[in-house]
Amino acid sequence: MTKEQISAFCVDRIADLLRIPKEVVDTQTKFSRLGLDSATAVYLLMDLEEKLDLELSPEAFYDHPTVDNLSDYLAGKHAARAG
Amino acid sequence: MRRVRVKLTPMSFSSLVALLEHRAVSQPGDRAFVFLSDRGAREAELTFAQLHERARALARELVQKGTPGDRALLIFPQGLDFIVALFGCLMAGVVSVPMMVPRRQSSRDSTASITTDCAPRFILTSPLLMSGPRKDVAARFANGSYEWIAVDAMADHSLGSDSTQLPPIGGETIAFLQYTSGSTSDPKGVVVTHENVLQNLEMIRLSFGATQASTFVSWIPLYHDMGLTLSALEAFYVGACCALMAPAAFVQRPMVWLKAIHEYRGEIACVPNFAFDLCVSRFSPEAAEGLDLSSWKVAVNASETVHADTIERFNRTFAPYGFDPRAIYPAYGMAEATVMISGSSRGAGHVTRAVSRSELGNGGVCSPTGQADSQIVVGCGRALVGERIAIVDPKNLDRLSADQVGEVWVCGPHVAKGYWRNEVAARETFAAQIDGDPACWLRTGDLAFLDDAGELYITGRIKELVIIRGVNHYPQDIERTVQNVDPALRNNGGAAFSVPDENGDETLVVVQEVERVYRRSIDIADMVGRVREAVANEHEVFARHVVLIRPGALPKTTSGKVQRGVARQLWLENRLDLLTADVA
């Protein structure tokens, strides 16, 4: 999966979880600023694990705190796994 | 599977310590506690003998370094280190104060106020927290001088030759303080004695039908009364094994918990309502392949509002995997009553009633006038053996009859002694009286009615507590967090409350006045974002609706007290004087 695809997926899921319009989910805004508390973030984590077939830890949100950062990181991890 | 003959005589031990000593002698090699990894693999375990020996070693160290009655903060991630620390304190007569590990990003959580309130001598923590990547934890306590002790449950003390004398522990000795009540600015530590705990554990034993063979499987945090007393200590009380998991592990992979119930033939497991919903949402035939939940006889649903449709969905989803709907066991309780106040009958399933929604809003109970007026309420069980429950009019303090809504009052040996060094708050809560009855009653602050059969139906709350996903949130704490975000947000100009969302789950609303002088200069969207961020960081909850309003628009009493109930009503009716429309 490309970074763009992962990013779009994250935006979709976050919009769903927070029940806000997709347009409002800015990919460069910190997750906590969007309103993602750590418990809600875990739901996103679960979906990403399933989608990317990867094992992820909640630390990923602290280390890559925006959709942009996270998609970048996950695209790399996903490619490494496939390669 | 071990077959055990059940003793019908109630156990009578003077303290949890006496009970531990008995277990260490009568079933030394039996597993008392097991800790499971995030994937459900067995990571560590303690037999009763090991628990006793390691707790005793810690107790001797505590006695050498302190005095019985000293308080100890217990700051541990979920695990067996906490269990050894707790029992070590119990044996030393040191008062345990279980606490959540402070969140990294949270600067203003309750850690500081609880510490100030209970003035501990000791801080007990896991070896990893003391020296690992969470050194920020120690930094929070830099202002005081405490005796830090790292507790490692796996350290073997069987060859220790220390013979330090331990103090006698009796029923009136304080076992621990529970700080789940009270806000950050006004923390209230419930004082729980050994007698309180043993009495409630015995009530629970009878209600659960728990025996030595009743394996418990729990992911609820051990600093929460449901995790500590209802699960870990209840298992210990009956001599059963308790398998523990981390709460984050459950939330991330709910199926791991169900698989653990399967693997350990778990008989009893207690969780809040949202956990049942989470299992349903993460269910798939692939993930549930081979799952057999037929050993699960007591599925406690407590800690937040119990929803009938949650139960029905869970039953439908997991009945094909051996789950018996009669195992569903709604319950109700609070830390002020040690943990459990009402419980269902084992094997009876849940009880519901259809009542008039409009009449309930007026505090009355009667049949609905039609489909639209019908509201389903779920029973939370009945009074436990040795306990009395009364429904009392909160204004005139008259005792009410069946099918009348009032405040739940509780009387019994499990009701705690009071709040730590807070006579005033304790008197308001623990010393209530009913005309003609000499006993002292606990005022719960919850609204309910009893039916003719004595089934308790919780209908609401007098206190303005917000409960989301089983966790208590104090409106005033959230309001303060919001006001600290920016000088434009007026102090004492906010209200936080919860409302049901599309699924009936409670969701947070924050209403906040903006100072006149800033009204035109603030960026609303940015402000809302910053408020959400602060609330997420400090309180780990999502402020779904953040509404900024004109100064003076927040309903207050003549003395200036914020009226959260009225604010909530205005919000629901869309009658707030908004600065602008709610963002999102």
Side-chain angles (χ1 to χ4, degrees):
Chain A
M1 277 190 88
T2 65
K3 178 193 164 173
E4 289 68 34
Q5 287 170 322
I6 296 175
S7 175
F9 179 77
C10 285
V11 167
D12 261 5
R13 286 307 294 136
I14 292 173
D16 229 16
L17 285 166
L18 301 182
R19 291 186 243 266
I20 54 183
K22 280 195 279 217
E23 302 72 54
V24 169
V25 181
D26 181 81
T27 59
Q28 300 195 323
T29 300
K30 279 169 50 183
F31 289 120
S32 55
R33 180 68 82 90
L34 292 172
L36 219 64
D37 63 279
S38 66
T40 315
V42 171
Y43 296 138
L44 175 58
L45 201 77
M46 285 154 61
D47 291 337
L48 285 166
E49 278 194 331
E50 218 178 275
K51 186 97 181 159
L52 302 171
D53 192 24
L54 284 174
E55 250 195 53
L56 301 170
S57 109
E59 294 303 309
F61 285 102
Y62 296 126
D63 297 336
H64 312 278
T66 68
V67 172
D68 253 6
N69 293 156
L70 187 66
S71 320
D72 219 10
Y73 163 70
L74 291 177
K77 240 180 115 99
H78 184 76
R81 174 197 138 276
Chain B
M1 192 174 86
R2 219 167 6 101
R3 305 278 265 121
V4 167
R5 195 171 291 280
V6 177
K7 280 206 210 138
L8 294 176
T9 53
M11 292 176 256
S12 52
F13 291 91
S14 52
S15 71
L16 289 164
V17 173
L19 181 54
L20 175 60
E21 274 152 13
H22 167 78
R23 298 243 165 271
V25 164
S26 63
Q27 47 184 131
D30 284 354
R31 280 187 324 205
F33 294 95
V34 173
F35 185 70
L36 306 179
S37 73
D38 284 6
R39 293 297 186 173
R42 191 181 326 163
E43 270 193 358
E45 59 183 57
L46 284 172
T47 63
F48 287 100
Q50 288 169 333
L51 173 58
H52 179 245
E53 154 218 310
R54 290 157 204 200
R56 187 176 51 193
L58 172 62
R60 285 169 172 158
E61 187 178 352
L62 292 169
V63 163
Q64 283 161 15
K65 294 178 171 169
T67 316
D70 280 344
R71 276 74 58 208
L73 300 184
L74 269 56
I75 306 180
F76 292 87
Q78 192 87 328
L80 304 187
D81 297 338
F82 173 95
I83 301 288
V84 171
L86 178 81
F87 279 94
C89 289
L90 292 175
M91 292 181 83
V94 165
V95 177
S96 296
V97 184
M99 281 178 58
M100 179 175 67
V101 177
R103 288 181 287 273
R104 218 184 302 251
Q105 320 94 298
S106 174
S107 52
R108 266 179 300 266
D109 65 16
S110 50
T111 305
S113 68
I114 291 175
T115 306
T116 306
D117 194 69
C118 72
R121 165 75 148 261
F122 297 103
I123 300 183
L124 307 187
T125 189
S126 72
L128 214 64
L129 280 185
M130 255 178 90
S131 59
R134 290 304 310 276
K135 288 199 215 71
D136 61 291
V137 174
R140 287 168 178 271
F141 297 95
N143 289 336
S145 63
Y146 309 98
E147 186 77 49
W148 287 78
I149 301 179
V151 180
D152 179 357
M154 296 296 107
D156 190 332
H157 291 273
S158 52
L159 298 176
S161 58
D162 183 352
S163 57
T164 304
Q165 281 276 68
L166 298 177
I169 307 295
E172 290 310 302
T173 309
I174 300 174
F176 43 80
L177 303 182
Q178 299 204 103
Y179 275 94
T180 44
S181 314
S183 61
T184 299
S185 58
D186 182 26
K188 296 207 268 262
V190 178
V191 178
V192 182
T193 62
H194 284 257
E195 173 76 5
N196 290 144
V197 179
L198 290 171
Q199 290 283 357
N200 204 207
L201 292 178
E202 176 64 7
M203 292 171 176
I204 296 164
R205 178 186 79 87
L206 292 167
S207 197
F208 282 1
T211 70
Q212 212 164 5
S214 306
T215 302
F216 284 63
V217 181
S218 174
W219 55 265
I220 307 288
L222 289 164
Y223 55 78
H224 189 285
D225 54 10
M226 188 188 233
L228 174 60
T229 310
L230 196 63
S231 306
L233 291 181
E234 184 61 38
F236 162 78
Y237 181 70
V238 297
C241 175
C242 181
L244 296 168
M245 274 174 64
F250 165 73
V251 176
Q252 193 165 346
R253 294 183 191 93
M255 297 304 293
V256 171
W257 172 59
L258 295 180
K259 292 219 162 88
I261 292 176
H262 160 104
E263 189 181 327
Y264 285 84
R265 302 323 289 153
E267 183 182 303
I268 303 177
C270 319
V271 292
N273 191 80
F274 86 87
F276 290 97
D277 280 333
L278 196 62
C279 288
V280 169
S281 73
R282 300 314 292 191
F283 165 83
S284 71
E286 297 73 40
E289 168 120 25
L291 192 65
D292 173 9
L293 299 175
S294 55
S295 64
W296 194 2
K297 299 295 183 203
V298 179
V300 177
N301 183 334
S303 206
E304 59 176 0
T305 306
V306 178
H307 294 291
D309 48 5
T310 297
I311 294 174
E312 277 142 37
R313 277 191 301 263
F314 187 86
N315 288 345
R316 260 203 319 272
T317 307
F318 292 100
Y321 296 88
F323 182 74
D324 186 348
R326 289 169 305 183
I328 292 285
Y329 183 111
Y332 159 75
M334 62 195 313
E336 281 81 345
T338 303
V339 63
M340 189 141 119
I341 291 174
S342 68
S344 302
S345 298
R346 174 174 171 141
H350 69 299
V351 172
T352 60
R353 187 141 156 213
V355 299
S356 160
R357 183 188 306 271
S358 48
E359 191 53 32
L360 199 61
N362 294 330
V365 180
C366 67
S367 298
T369 52
Q371 217 3 60
D373 186 43
S374 177
Q375 179 173 341
I376 306 289
V377 286
V378 183
C380 285
R382 305 184 190 185
L384 307 173
V385 173
E387 172 195 54
R388 289 192 290 156
I389 293 180
I391 302 294
V392 175
D393 185 313
K395 294 193 184 63
N396 60 30
L397 306 189
D398 285 341
R399 190 164 187 167
L400 300 170
S401 329
D403 280 6
Q404 290 186 299
V405 175
E407 184 182 10
V408 179
W409 285 26
V410 181
C411 185
H414 57 321
V415 171
K417 300 303 158 188
Y419 294 120
W420 178 258
R421 294 186 180 164
N422 193 337
E423 285 293 318
V424 174
R427 227 172 309 134
E428 284 165 10
T429 305
F430 292 93
Q433 300 229 268
I434 297 179
D435 251 351
D437 188 324
C440 276
W441 294 76
L442 162 68
R443 296 189 65 163
T444 65
D446 291 310
L447 295 170
F449 67 89
L450 284 164
D451 71 9
D452 282 316
E455 183 83 19
L456 184 70
Y457 293 83
I458 304 293
T459 58
R461 265 191 303 281
I462 299 170
K463 46 194 183 187
E464 289 164 330
L465 196 58
V466 167
I467 302 183
I468 294 179
R469 276 203 294 261
V471 176
N472 293 349
H473 296 277
Y474 292 84
Q476 52 273 56
D477 291 345
I478 294 178
E479 289 151 17
R480 197 169 315 105
T481 294
V482 171
Q483 286 145 18
N484 282 329
V485 167
D486 194 286
L489 304 178
R490 279 182 120 193
N491 278 340
N492 198 40
F497 49 84
S498 66
V499 296
D501 67 10
E502 305 81 357
N503 298 331
D505 296 319
E506 291 302 301
T507 193
L508 183 66
V509 179
V510 167
V511 176
Q512 174 65 48
E513 287 180 345
V514 174
E515 291 277 18
R516 202 170 304 277
V517 84
Y518 290 95
R519 263 178 52 201
R520 299 196 197 292
S521 60
I522 62 166
D523 176 338
I524 306 241
D526 178 69
M527 187 73 78
V528 169
R530 285 162 57 206
V531 165
R532 283 212 172 105
E533 181 175 30
V535 171
N537 283 342
E538 302 286 331
H539 303 280
E540 211 106 302
V541 70
F542 174 45
R544 167 118 181 247
H545 303 283
V546 178
V547 183
L548 303 180
I549 60 176
R550 301 184 192 292
L554 191 68
K556 292 187 185 176
T557 64
T558 45
S559 58
K561 190 167 175 234
V562 173
Q563 293 175 302
R564 294 185 185 99
V566 179
R568 182 177 183 277
Q569 203 51 38
L570 290 174
W571 186 85
L572 285 169
E573 292 165 11
N574 245 315
R575 283 169 47 207
L576 283 171
D577 195 359
L578 306 179
L579 201 65
T580 188
D582 181 4
V583 176

